[in-house]
Amino acid sequence: MSDPSMLFEMPLFAVLSAERKQWLSANLSEHRLKRGEILMREGQTVTHQFILLEGELLTEKLVAGRQVIDDTRLAPVSVAEASLLAGMPLPLTFSANTDCYLVSLTESVVRTLLSECESFSKQIFRSMYGRISAYDSFILSGEKLAALGRLSAGLAHELNNPAAAVARAADGMRDALDSLHRATRALVLCAMPADIMDTLDVWASRAPPVVDATPQGALRQSEAEESFAQWLSSHGFAKPWLIAPRLVAAGFAPEEFESVAARVTREQFGAAVRWLAATFEMRFLSEQTWVGAGRISEIVKAMKSYSYMDQAPLQEVDIHNGIEDTLTIMQHRLKHGVVVTRDYDRALPPVPVYGSELNQVWTNLIDNAIDAMEEKGELTIRSHREGNCAVIEISDTGHGIPADILPRLFEPFFTTKPPGKGNGLGLHIAYRTVVLRHDGRLNVVANEGGTTFQVRLPLEHRHAAAR
């Protein structure tokens, strides 16, 4: 049978004197809840401290218009004391997850215990501190997971492009292989002269010219293809627009084929050109497959290195490798108009760091710089040695940071970004990682020409890194 004296088995109340326990027994109220009943609702004013002695409470929070389960509280546990003492609305809804037995204390009783019982005060503040620390860890872990989610989404997009290119090339190879087979058979059946075949072999091994990616280059390419297609049409080729682009991309002009056309029959010339075009098409698709697969491999390698998968948490690393891995996996954010300038001191010795955690710092600082420039500008990354520290500077060409904001920049939840763009934890996490985890320093210098974040890391591992 439920007994309120179970209250005094809890560390919070076990420290009270016998006299005070007797007084408390006379000033508490008992409550029973059936499963599903509400104890307190989010946002309401708290008038009592509740102590759950039997059962389990479910906590929920209203997020985006719907109730989201936050946690469960198992007996014995005290609830609502923080909101009661702070005079703040309750941040959660408490409901009975099972049949529950509770006792409650009025605010005046709780404040009497706080003022007259030092042991009670210490216990209740320790309990509140533990919850705040757990909540702080929960929030930071949530932000890291959210950042990982954003990074994963970007990586998925970045991987999708080369993967799609490989798939398209592989699919195109089927038709290209059939075309090459037919062209080779036609070449054999028409009894191509040996000297012409030697010329075709030389042409087939020719390296393609460098692609001019400018708008003017694309226009010249289009004009060359149209001209070549007209020339092929005049020599009796059906659907010349399918052949001309590949020959132009390989660097050929109609004039080069004039001498061959004059020395062979129309049938032989047709077989020669189609074989050459099919060969270049097959080579082009193979190259696309190789490039796409290489890009996928590069991203996967960078991600594995970025996360330090299957490696010791603390190790001596070349700091530049982590920065380059970060830039690789953040390519989806850089490619819209950010130019990256590197000024590395390659003479820097290896730095003892928690690699995956430090890479999160580079991610947050680079992401912040890109946002400051609105995805267009110059991102400069420098490194040098300063005494017994490695110094890494990440600079952007954004609008800078107002002087009155600088002192609050690393505060948790402080942000100047619009709603939905940030929650103010990225720079806070970077600060904690550099200062508390690595015993380093993180400073910021801002002016109208942009912002520079300076990370200083000791070149020798210290005790602080183990905290």
Side-chain angles (χ1 to χ4, degrees):
M1 185 173 180
S2 303
D3 182 356
S5 65
M6 293 188 297
L7 178 73
F8 304 115
E9 297 176 9
M10 297 175 61
L12 183 60
F13 300 98
V15 294
L16 299 178
S17 65
E19 180 183 359
R20 185 56 72 183
K21 288 179 180 178
Q22 184 177 1
W23 171 82
L24 188 60
S25 297
N27 286 277
L28 58 77
S29 301
E30 298 181 62
H31 307 268
R32 296 186 185 278
L33 294 177
K34 294 293 185 180
R35 180 178 180 181
E37 290 185 329
I38 302 295
L39 174 64
M40 296 177 288
R41 294 189 181 277
E42 179 180 351
Q44 79 174 60
T45 300
V46 180
T47 58
H48 292 73
Q49 175 187 359
F50 288 89
I51 300 94
L52 177 67
L53 296 178
E54 292 180 1
E56 178 181 290
L57 290 174
L58 180 69
T59 60
E60 297 175 287
K61 188 169 183 62
L62 188 65
V63 178
R66 63 188 184 91
Q67 288 292 116
V68 176
I69 294 176
D70 174 72
D71 196 8
T72 54
R73 307 281 178 89
L74 298 174
V77 66
S78 173
V79 297
E81 69 275 10
S83 295
L84 175 68
L85 296 173
M88 299 292 291
L90 195 68
L92 300 167
T93 293
F94 289 81
S95 61
N97 206 33
T98 64
D99 291 348
C100 295
Y101 171 64
L102 309 93
V103 297
S104 65
L105 308 176
T106 64
E107 182 177 354
S108 61
V109 170
V110 175
R111 293 196 180 278
T112 298
L113 291 174
L114 282 173
S115 62
E116 297 182 6
C117 302
E118 181 181 355
S119 56
F120 176 83
S121 300
K122 287 182 178 180
Q123 285 291 336
I124 199 166
F125 284 121
R126 283 173 183 168
S127 173
M128 292 169 63
Y129 178 79
R131 287 189 188 172
I132 292 171
S133 298
Y135 187 68
D136 179 56
S137 298
F138 173 78
I139 290 293
L140 292 178
S141 297
E143 169 58 18
K144 290 180 180 179
L145 286 173
L148 181 61
R150 293 191 296 271
L151 200 61
S152 298
L155 276 172
H157 177 75
E158 198 67 18
L159 283 168
N160 182 66
N161 291 332
V166 169
R168 286 194 303 270
D171 186 58
M173 279 184 180
R174 299 174 183 174
D175 293 335
L177 191 59
D178 288 340
S179 298
L180 183 59
H181 174 75
R182 291 192 299 269
T184 302
R185 186 173 185 277
L187 204 63
V188 172
L189 292 176
C190 72
M192 186 68 66
D195 60 327
I196 300 298
M197 197 66 238
D198 290 340
T199 300
L200 294 177
D201 283 338
V202 172
W203 283 355
S205 59
R206 178 191 291 187
V210 177
V211 176
D212 185 353
T214 64
Q216 295 84 356
L219 180 60
R220 286 192 293 269
Q221 177 91 356
S222 179
E223 291 173 347
E225 290 175 3
E226 183 178 356
S227 176
F228 211 139
Q230 291 176 355
W231 185 87
L232 289 170
S233 180
S234 68
H235 284 71
F237 282 85
K239 301 180 180 179
W241 57 86
L242 298 178
I243 302 173
R246 188 50 53 216
L247 296 177
V248 171
F252 287 93
E255 296 77 25
E256 294 181 81
F257 288 86
E258 292 285 3
S259 60
V260 173
R263 294 162 54 194
V264 295
T265 66
R266 173 169 288 201
E267 180 188 4
Q268 289 173 328
F269 183 63
V273 171
R274 287 189 176 86
W275 177 83
L276 198 61
T279 299
F280 283 123
E281 178 69 14
M282 195 67 185
R283 178 179 295 175
F284 168 77
L285 293 172
S286 298
E287 181 72 15
Q288 290 295 300
T289 303
W290 183 84
V291 170
R295 177 60 180 160
I296 293 172
S297 178
E298 177 188 354
I299 294 172
V300 172
K301 180 181 177 182
M303 193 60 199
K304 183 176 180 179
S305 179
Y306 175 90
S307 62
Y308 282 78
M309 188 184 300
D310 303 325
Q311 298 183 45
L314 178 66
Q315 56 183 290
E316 293 189 344
V317 303
D318 183 338
I319 212 74
H320 308 107
N321 291 342
I323 295 173
E324 288 301 314
D325 289 336
T326 304
L327 290 172
T328 296
I329 66 174
M330 294 188 71
Q331 186 61 36
H332 62 284
R333 296 222 59 204
L334 298 168
K335 63 185 180 183
H336 300 296
V338 176
V339 177
V340 180
T341 301
R342 299 164 174 84
D343 183 12
Y344 294 157
D345 178 5
R346 291 293 185 178
L348 272 177
V351 184
V353 298
Y354 292 88
S356 61
E357 297 179 35
L358 192 62
N359 284 345
Q360 183 67 50
V361 172
W362 309 139
T363 301
N364 289 340
L365 295 183
I366 292 172
D367 190 64
N368 192 74
I370 295 171
D371 284 340
M373 297 186 291
E374 298 178 349
E375 300 191 357
K376 296 185 186 299
E378 183 176 6
L379 176 70
T380 303
I381 306 176
R382 301 182 182 89
S383 68
H384 63 274
R385 181 167 183 165
E386 191 175 281
N388 198 38
C389 287
V391 180
I392 297 87
E393 298 180 347
I394 298 177
S395 305
D396 63 65
T397 54
H399 301 298
I401 302 173
D404 60 323
I405 289 178
L406 285 176
R408 302 191 60 194
L409 206 57
F410 300 117
E411 290 182 11
F413 305 109
F414 177 77
T415 180
T416 59
K417 297 177 182 178
K421 286 288 289 181
N423 54 19
L425 284 173
L427 292 179
H428 176 63
I429 291 174
Y431 183 86
R432 286 171 61 117
T433 302
V434 172
V435 177
L436 302 181
R437 190 68 164 153
H438 291 89
D439 201 21
R441 291 169 58 194
L442 177 57
N443 302 317
V444 59
V445 178
N447 52 54
E448 293 183 357
T451 305
T452 298
F453 285 90
Q454 299 173 332
V455 177
R456 285 176 171 81
L457 298 169
L459 293 173
E460 295 180 0
H461 177 54
R462 303 179 191 176
H463 69 281
R467 290 203 296 265

